[in-house]
Amino acid sequence: MPPRKRNIACLESLWTRRTENRLNVIPTLELISKTQDAKFSHLTCNTREELNYNLHLLCKRNYGILYFAFHGSPGKIHLHRDKVTLTELAGMMNCRFENWIIHFGTCSTFRKPREVAYFAENTRAALVTGFTRDVDWIESSAFELLLFRAFHTFKSPKVVCRHLLNKYPDLAELTGFKFYPALG
């Protein structure tokens, strides 16, 4: 198997209705890009049509890491005015992101483990990570910086997760960090 790509493809929705000086994850991506010698792509995604279109664009780029930066709820991601279930998302993605690492930077999406397991199995992702709790922006951003650094430091997805749980147990607990497949 060829080595896994470690560049980040990010899809992000509006966090509020503000269009000027708006909050986004670009500073996190820039820091990872500069410190880990990684490339990133950041696309806004506020409708189902944009989500589907952007997924189609990104699957051909082979970045290796797909980062969903949205509001969330158990088993769902939230676009600006719409919600997409993990089952629907798995259908949109199909197996086009096989062997990628997929991270959900969303509140509570991982609170429905069956839906997450279904998503992971049907997309054939190497690793799917996310949060079971409603997370604070700063705390989750700090954890995601550590997570993305670990993705670049370690080759094995299981080693990434073991490292984070051992080195940052309090932050992992605070965010409700979970991953699939689970360590066995």
Side-chain angles (χ1 to χ4, degrees):
M1 178 186 315
R4 185 181 326 280
K5 301 279 186 188
R6 302 295 181 175
N7 297 318
I8 303 169
C10 177
L11 297 177
E12 183 174 30
S13 185
L14 293 171
W15 296 99
T16 65
R17 292 178 189 254
R18 291 177 50 192
T19 56
E20 295 85 21
N21 196 28
R22 63 188 185 97
L23 193 59
N24 61 54
V25 298
I26 291 174
T28 300
L29 295 169
E30 288 174 339
L31 184 57
I32 289 299
S33 174
K34 291 175 183 172
T35 60
Q36 303 301 309
D37 193 30
K39 295 177 184 167
F40 73 89
S41 178
H42 177 270
L43 300 173
T44 57
C45 199
N46 295 301
T47 66
R48 283 177 183 266
E49 293 77 18
E50 282 181 310
L51 176 62
N52 210 10
Y53 180 80
N54 290 339
L55 287 169
H56 182 74
L57 280 178
L58 293 173
C59 73
K60 297 175 182 180
R61 299 298 306 267
N62 197 23
Y63 278 85
I65 300 170
L66 180 59
Y67 175 24
F68 289 108
F70 298 101
H71 285 295
S73 58
K76 297 177 180 144
I77 61 169
H78 298 194
L79 303 175
H80 186 58
R81 289 201 170 105
D82 197 4
K83 296 176 183 172
V84 177
T85 67
L86 290 179
T87 301
E88 292 171 315
L89 185 58
M92 288 178 178
M93 293 173 68
N94 202 350
C95 298
R96 295 179 295 170
F97 294 85
E98 183 175 1
N99 205 33
W100 282 47
I101 294 171
I102 301 171
H103 175 64
F104 287 87
T106 58
C107 288
S108 303
T109 300
F110 271 44
R111 203 177 294 163
K112 290 204 169 183
R114 277 196 190 128
E115 284 86 343
V116 176
Y118 176 88
F119 174 86
E121 290 167 15
N122 284 278
T123 58
R124 297 184 191 161
L127 178 69
V128 182
T129 61
F131 306 119
T132 60
R133 298 203 172 125
D134 290 347
V135 292
D136 173 80
W137 181 276
I138 299 296
E139 292 166 345
S140 63
S141 294
F143 189 81
E144 287 171 344
L145 279 171
L146 299 167
L147 175 68
F148 291 136
R149 183 178 70 185
F151 288 156
H152 285 84
T153 303
F154 304 106
K155 290 183 181 183
S156 164
K158 287 186 177 185
V159 173
V160 166
C161 296
R162 192 175 304 122
H163 166 77
L164 290 166
L165 294 175
N166 290 334
K167 192 154 184 181
Y168 310 105
D170 294 341
L171 201 47
E173 174 66 25
L174 185 68
T175 59
F177 175 70
K178 296 287 181 202
F179 48 89
Y180 292 87
L183 293 175

